[in-house]
Amino acid sequence: ADNGRARTPEELHAYFVEYRRRTGAFAFLRHRFATRAADVVRSALESDSAAYRLARRTYWALKSQG
């Protein structure tokens, strides 16, 4: 469990329901998309490659804009 203190699948489901309620559906979906996209890039590229470094710089540049 992290700050959400969800320890079971049921608690995790309730946590995400509350998270979506507080943040709004669009913000929640945007977060989920960004997380999945980052996971895809991490698994597809070698961490010491130029392509990975470019993707990482691009991600942080976009994230810092808001």
Side-chain angles (χ1 to χ4, degrees):
D2 63 2
N3 291 339
R5 294 180 174 75
R7 297 182 190 283
T8 67
E10 295 80 17
E11 290 174 339
L12 187 60
H13 176 72
Y15 171 80
F16 281 124
V17 167
E18 181 63 17
Y19 183 81
R20 281 190 298 271
R21 186 189 70 75
R22 291 183 185 191
T23 63
F26 180 74
F28 178 77
L29 291 174
R30 185 178 68 201
H31 169 74
R32 292 290 297 246
F33 175 77
T35 302
R36 301 275 173 137
D39 290 344
V40 167
V41 169
R42 280 190 209 105
S43 67
L45 300 174
E46 296 288 331
S47 62
D48 61 348
S49 69
Y52 180 87
R53 289 190 300 274
L54 175 62
R56 187 169 182 241
R57 281 194 309 270
T58 302
Y59 170 82
W60 285 107
L62 292 172
K63 188 169 176 83
S64 69
Q65 292 179 2

